[in-house]
Every structure is written in structure tokens, then in C-alpha cells.
């Protein structure tokens, strides 16, 4: 279970989240340090400028009190400079140095980033200048504080990345692990295995599609198994009758008269019909690989199919009516469509009541072509309509009717191979089978 929850995908997710978190921290750190440095530099420059202005004002006051540079008392100005952490240099307007004050300050009086110079104005005239030479910048302490917050933010980002990985891992990796286990069980033969995952978004859709696929696989296997049993049952009865009849003839217990031979012939025909139905189904399932495509007039196909089955339909006591719109052309294999339509007509002959009417209609419907076979027979119960195109399915009303229940499944396979659909509807006026095919663009 731990390996399922925190397998390679979880590890990769954790690595991805950590890389994103660390990258974000690095980018934010660079931006924070740059912004902090610029902010501290601007603040320190403004503070130094204000200190220089205050010192210049104190020097101007001393100059005015002394009436000139001779005997000027610069003690107050020196105290202000020392308080600001700078060395004070006072010059006259001619550039002569009057005095330099400040403890531990450098003696170089040139210009630079750590020096601020401003004019001394007394009586409305510039009488000299002051130069404040500051020491080392005061920002290392501020940078240390910034680094502390940055490290704290990095720690929080890593913790959030770990929690996000755990959360996403549970939402993604655990459902994927369940899907994997279910797929392995199905491949091992357990057709009852289901993922049973309820997840949001595409992962939930994948899980739902997987379970639906598993249901279809299980249903198809049940259908094949039931088909095998039903075919064996259908074959067993005529084979048993043939065997018993032949044994009677062999042992001289019955005369080989016309009635006896005719009964044996009927059983042989029943066997042949079952084999033909199975062969048609197998052929229809591979029809997409063997279609002979060409422009086909549906009215002509329907007319030919009705003509071929007319005797069978009339023998069943059915009235046949055709409503064939000319010029309804599709790209198809006419032989396969003839086969599909013939199966629908045979189904009518087998299940419709005597005296019923069978209407075969061909018409346009927008960009599609419709072939409709409608009989006024007893209809199909609503609960059985969804199963009529399943292999070997036969409704309750058809239990006593000869056949294997494969004919309509063949129709569905053939129509699907043409890119079309076939539907069945039933009501008080009988049953309507509708084949829908795409019309040729030129028609």
C-alpha cells in the first residue's frame, strides 16, 4: 500500500514541487535582496543629505556669530557630524580648509559614495562648504534581517511543497494505482474487477470509462458464452433427430418412405440454417475489411431486396408496400446493404402476424439517407427494444419461433461498417426499423 501511494510518480511529483518551490525562493530572494539594497541605499543617501544640511546650517550660524571665518566656533557642527557618524571638513568659498573634526574618520577629503558635500550660506551669500565623510554603510544588519526572513520563507515553501505533493499524490496516484490493479485483475481473468474510483475531472472520466469498458468486456464474454450454449442447444435437437431417424433406417425399424426422408431433410436444412447464420455473423463482423465501395442508389437496393423476399413475405400472409424516393445515393457496398435489408424483411416474415402490412421506405433526411422497414405486427415490448440487436437475443414472444436470434445482430454489424446506425422503435402500430446512412456529398 505504501508503495502504491508513494511510488515513482509520487517521487517525481515531489521532485517537481520542490524544484518549483526552490526556484521561486531563489527568484524571490534575488528580487528581495536587490530591492532591499536599493531601498537601504536610497534611505541612507537621504539621511546623509539631511545630516549634511543640518551641519551646514550649524556652520552658517557659527560663521554669522563670529562675523567671519576668523575665530569661528565649529564645536556644534562637529558634534552633529560625529552624531551622524561622519568626519566634518569645512572649507571657505576659496577652497581653504578651515577645520576637520570627527573621531576615527578617514583624512581623505575627496569625493566618493560615502561623502556628501553641501554649501554654507550666510547672509544670502555662499561663504563656504561642508564635507561629511561617512564610514562603512549600515546595511549589513538590515541584510542579515532580510536573509533571516528569506530562509524562513524557503522553509515554509518546502513544507507547503511537501504537503501539496502528499495531497496531489492521494488525488492522482491512489486512483491510478486502483486502475492499475483492476486492469491486472481483468487481464488475469477476473471479469468482475472494477476500479471504483470517484475522482474529479479527467481522472474521474478515465475511471468511469474504464469501468464501463470492463462492464462491456464482461457482457461480451457472457454473450459469447451464452451464444455457445444456445448454438449447441440449437444444433443438438436437429442432430439428435437426424441420428435417431438414420438409426431407424439403418436397423430396418422404419421404411425409407417420402415422409421419413422429408423429415430428415428438414432437420438437415435446420442445421444448415444455423450454420449459415453463424457464418453471416462472422462475415458481418469483418465486413469493414471487405466492403466494395461504390455509389449506390438505395431505392434500387430496396427494390431488389423486396423482389427477392416477396414470395417469402406473401407466403407468410403479409402485404408488401414500397415507397422509394429516387436518387437517394450513398457510397456503400450494395450487396452488403441488400443482405442487411433482406435480414430485416426475413425478420418481418418470421414475427409479423398474417394479414399485417410491411412498408419499405427510402427517403432523404438532410445530409443523411433513411431506409425504413415498418410492419403492423404485434410490436416489441419497451423493455426488450434495447436488446433486439444483441447476438442470439430473442424476446419472450419469439421463443417458439425458429431461428438463432442472429439476423438483427448481422444487420447492426453491416450498417455500422458503412458508418451508419440502425434503430428500432415500436408502438401501437407495430415495429419500425430505421437504417441511417450518410448521403454522398454530390447528391
Amino acid at each position: 500500500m505504501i508503495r502504491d501511494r508513494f511510488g515513482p510518480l509520487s517521487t517525481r511529483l515531489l521532485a517537481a514541487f520542490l524544484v518549483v518551490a526552490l526556484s521561486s525562493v531563489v527568484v524571490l530572494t534575488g528580487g528581495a535582496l536587490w530591492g532591499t539594497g536599493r531601498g537601504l541605499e536610497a534611505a541612507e543617501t537621504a539621511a546623509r543629505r539631511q545630516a549634511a544640511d543640518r551641519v551646514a546650517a550649524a556652520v552658517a550660524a557659527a560663521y554669522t556669530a563670529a562675523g567671519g571665518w576668523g575665530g569661528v566656533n565649529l564645536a556644534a557642527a562637529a558634534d552633529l557630524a560625529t552624531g551622524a557618524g561622519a568626519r566634518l571638513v569645512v572649507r571657505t568659498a576659496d577652497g581653504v580648509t578651515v577645520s576637520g573634526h570627527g573621531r576615527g574618520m578617514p583624512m581623505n577629503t575627496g569625493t566618493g559614495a560615502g561623502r556628501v558635500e553641501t554649501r554654507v550660506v550666510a547672509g544670502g551669500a555662499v561663504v563656504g562648504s561642508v564635507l561629511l565623510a561617512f564610514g562603512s554603510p549600515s546595511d549589513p544588519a538590515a541584510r542579515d534581517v532580510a536573509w533571516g526572513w528569506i530562509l524562513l520563507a524557503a522553509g515554509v515553501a518546502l513544507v507547503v511543497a511537501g504537503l501539496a505533493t502528499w495531497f496531489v499524490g492521494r488525488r492522482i496516484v491512489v486512483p491510478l494505482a486502483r486502475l492499475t490493479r483492476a486492469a491486472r485483475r481483468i487481464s488475469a481473468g477476473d471479469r468482475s474487477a472494477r476500479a471504483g474510483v470517484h475522482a474529479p475531472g479527467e481522472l474521474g472520466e478515465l475511471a468511469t470509462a474504464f469501468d464501463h469498458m470492463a462492464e462491456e468486456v464482461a457482457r461480451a464474454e457472457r454473450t459469447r458464452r451464452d451464444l455457445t450454449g444456445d448454438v449447441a442447444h440449437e444444433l443438438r435437437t436437429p442432430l439428435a433427430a437426424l441420428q435417431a431417424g438414420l438409426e431407424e433406417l439403418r436397423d430396418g425399424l422404419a421404411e425409407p418412405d417420402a415422409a421419413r426422408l422429408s423429415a430428415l431433410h428438414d432437420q438437415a436444412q435446420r442445421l444448415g440454417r444455423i450454420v449459415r447464420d453463424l457464418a453471416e455473423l462472422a462475415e458481418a463482423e469483418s465486413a469493414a475489411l471487405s466492403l466494395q465501395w461504390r455509389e449506390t442508389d438505395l431505392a434500387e437496393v430496396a427494390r431488389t431486396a423486396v423482389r427477392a423476399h416477396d414470395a417469402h413475405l406473401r407466403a407468410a400472409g403479409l402485404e408488401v408496400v414500397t415507397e422509394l424516393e429516387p436518387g437517394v445515393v450513398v457510397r456503400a457496398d450494395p450487396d452488403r446493404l441488400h443482405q442487411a435489408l433482406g435480414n430485416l424483411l426475413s425478420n418481418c416474415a418470421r414475427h409479423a402476424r398474417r394479414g399485417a402490412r410491411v412498408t419499405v421506405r427510402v427517403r432523404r433526411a438532410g445530409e443523411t439517407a433513411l431506409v425504413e422497414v415498418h410492419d403492423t405486427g404485434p410490436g416489441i415490448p419497451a423493455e426488450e427494444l434495447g436488446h433486439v440487436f444483441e447476438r442470439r437475443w430473442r424476446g419472450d414472444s419469439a421463443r417458439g419461433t425458429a431461428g438463432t436470434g442472429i439476423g438483427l445482430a448481422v444487420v447492426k454489424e453491416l450498417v455500422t461498417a458503412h458508418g451508419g446506425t440502425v434503430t428500432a422503435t415500436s408502438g401501437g402500430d407495430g415495429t419500425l426499423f430505421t437504417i441511417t446512412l450518410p448521403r454522398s456529398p454530390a447528391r
Side-chain angles (χ1 to χ4, degrees):
M1 182 64 69
I2 294 177
R3 184 176 61 184
D4 288 339
R5 292 195 176 191
F6 303 101
L9 180 57
S10 293
T11 303
R12 291 194 292 272
L13 286 174
L14 176 60
F17 278 114
L18 290 178
V19 168
V20 171
L22 291 176
S23 300
S24 301
V25 168
V26 169
V27 173
L28 291 175
T29 297
L33 291 177
W34 182 82
T36 300
R38 294 296 298 272
L40 291 173
E41 182 180 346
E44 192 163 34
T45 299
R48 289 177 177 181
R49 175 59 60 184
Q50 292 176 359
D53 290 341
R54 288 194 299 270
V55 171
V59 171
Y63 176 87
T64 302
W69 291 114
V72 67
N73 183 6
L74 300 176
D79 290 340
L80 290 173
T82 302
R87 168 71 183 271
L88 172 62
V89 177
V90 180
R91 296 190 181 99
T92 66
D94 299 330
V96 178
T97 301
V98 177
S99 176
H101 298 272
R103 294 176 297 177
M105 295 296 110
M107 295 303 295
N108 183 13
T109 59
T111 61
R115 293 173 173 80
V116 179
E117 185 174 8
T118 189
R119 297 176 299 173
V120 177
V121 180
V126 177
V127 297
S129 64
V130 296
L131 175 66
L132 296 183
F134 291 90
S136 301
S138 59
D139 61 340
R143 291 181 183 274
D144 291 341
V145 174
W147 269 110
W149 283 104
I150 289 170
L151 292 176
L152 177 61
V156 171
L158 294 179
V159 171
V160 171
L163 292 176
T165 302
W166 177 81
F167 177 77
V168 174
R170 287 185 60 84
R171 304 282 285 183
I172 295 180
V173 178
V174 173
L176 288 178
R178 291 180 181 175
L179 281 170
T180 302
R181 288 196 298 270
R184 288 173 178 168
R185 288 173 58 190
I186 290 177
S187 65
D190 183 4
R191 299 295 186 259
S192 64
R194 300 292 182 271
V197 173
H198 302 284
E202 290 81 359
L203 189 58
E205 293 178 5
L206 173 63
T208 302
F210 178 88
D211 286 345
H212 180 70
M213 177 201 68
E215 288 287 349
E216 289 299 315
V217 169
R219 188 188 64 81
E221 185 165 313
R222 287 194 302 269
T223 300
R224 285 194 297 269
R225 185 169 56 249
D226 294 345
L227 176 62
T228 301
D230 289 349
V231 169
H233 175 75
E234 292 283 345
L235 292 174
R236 187 181 300 116
T237 300
L239 280 175
L242 276 174
Q243 182 178 358
L246 291 174
E247 287 178 351
E248 287 180 343
L249 293 177
R250 181 196 63 187
D251 296 337
L253 301 177
E255 293 294 328
D257 53 19
R260 176 69 60 179
L261 294 177
S262 177
L264 295 177
H265 181 261
D266 290 342
Q267 297 300 330
Q269 283 188 321
R270 184 178 179 186
L271 282 174
R273 184 172 60 252
I274 295 172
V275 173
R276 283 196 306 273
D277 287 345
L278 293 174
E280 281 186 0
L281 180 60
E283 188 178 7
E285 289 177 337
S286 61
L289 301 177
S290 58
L291 293 178
Q292 303 297 319
W293 298 92
R294 61 176 180 267
E295 297 297 312
T296 302
D297 189 335
L298 283 181
E300 185 61 30
V301 172
R303 188 176 295 108
T304 303
V306 170
R307 189 181 302 119
H309 290 79
D310 184 68
H312 187 195
L313 292 168
R314 296 190 183 281
L318 303 178
E319 178 187 357
V320 182
V321 177
T322 58
E323 300 175 6
L324 309 179
E325 180 179 340
V328 181
V329 178
V330 297
R331 183 166 177 78
D333 185 333
D335 293 334
R336 297 294 188 180
L337 290 184
H338 183 281
Q339 180 183 357
L341 189 55
N343 281 11
L344 292 179
L345 294 173
S346 296
N347 186 74
C348 293
R350 188 177 299 115
H351 299 291
R353 289 190 292 255
R354 297 186 66 85
R357 173 183 293 181
V358 176
T359 303
V360 179
R361 184 181 298 111
V362 173
R363 62 187 179 91
R364 293 180 178 86
E367 299 299 320
T368 61
L370 301 182
V371 181
E372 299 173 340
V373 177
H374 179 231
D375 69 74
T376 57
I380 302 173
E383 64 273 10
E384 297 180 0
L385 274 176
H387 303 282
V388 294
F389 296 107
E390 294 180 5
R391 304 174 188 175
R392 66 90 205 144
W393 183 87
R394 301 173 70 189
D396 292 337
S397 60
R399 295 300 180 189
T401 305
T404 57
I406 292 177
L408 294 181
V410 171
V411 173
K412 181 179 180 181
E413 293 291 341
L414 291 174
V415 173
T416 301
H418 283 83
T421 59
V422 58
T423 59
T425 56
S426 187
D429 59 345
T431 303
L432 171 65
F433 290 94
T434 304
I435 296 176
T436 305
L437 297 170
R439 284 199 301 121
S440 295
R443 305 306 177 95

